[in-house]
Amino acid sequence: MEKFIPYDKLSKKAKREADALKRGSWNGLNPVTRRSPNPKAYNRQKARKWDESPCVPFCFI
């Protein structure tokens, strides 16, 4: 049986090992919270699309 050593007195390496044992796995799930975009908000990229389209000048003779 190992001797009990308080967490505060453990070495940095031992603390890392203890924390890794406590930590669980997300099993491929990304923990970042995601929200759908607000449809009422102004979207700069959507507004710029007209500028990106190729502009063909029309010449009438």
Side-chain angles (χ1 to χ4, degrees):
M1 185 169 172
E2 291 184 27
K3 230 179 187 181
F4 174 74
I5 302 171
Y7 184 81
D8 296 336
K9 292 192 174 190
L10 288 175
S11 67
K12 190 174 182 179
K13 186 176 181 180
K15 283 183 183 181
R16 267 194 236 127
E17 290 175 3
D19 292 339
L21 289 173
K22 289 180 188 176
R23 206 174 293 124
S25 171
W26 286 92
N27 296 325
L29 179 72
N30 190 346
V32 178
T33 304
R34 295 195 170 109
R35 300 182 316 160
S36 59
N38 184 356
K40 293 182 180 180
Y42 177 72
N43 187 354
R44 291 175 189 274
Q45 292 186 346
K46 187 176 179 182
R48 195 184 327 159
K49 282 188 178 177
W50 67 270
D51 193 30
E52 293 174 358
S53 62
C55 182
V56 180
F58 293 101
C59 296
F60 297 104
I61 302 178

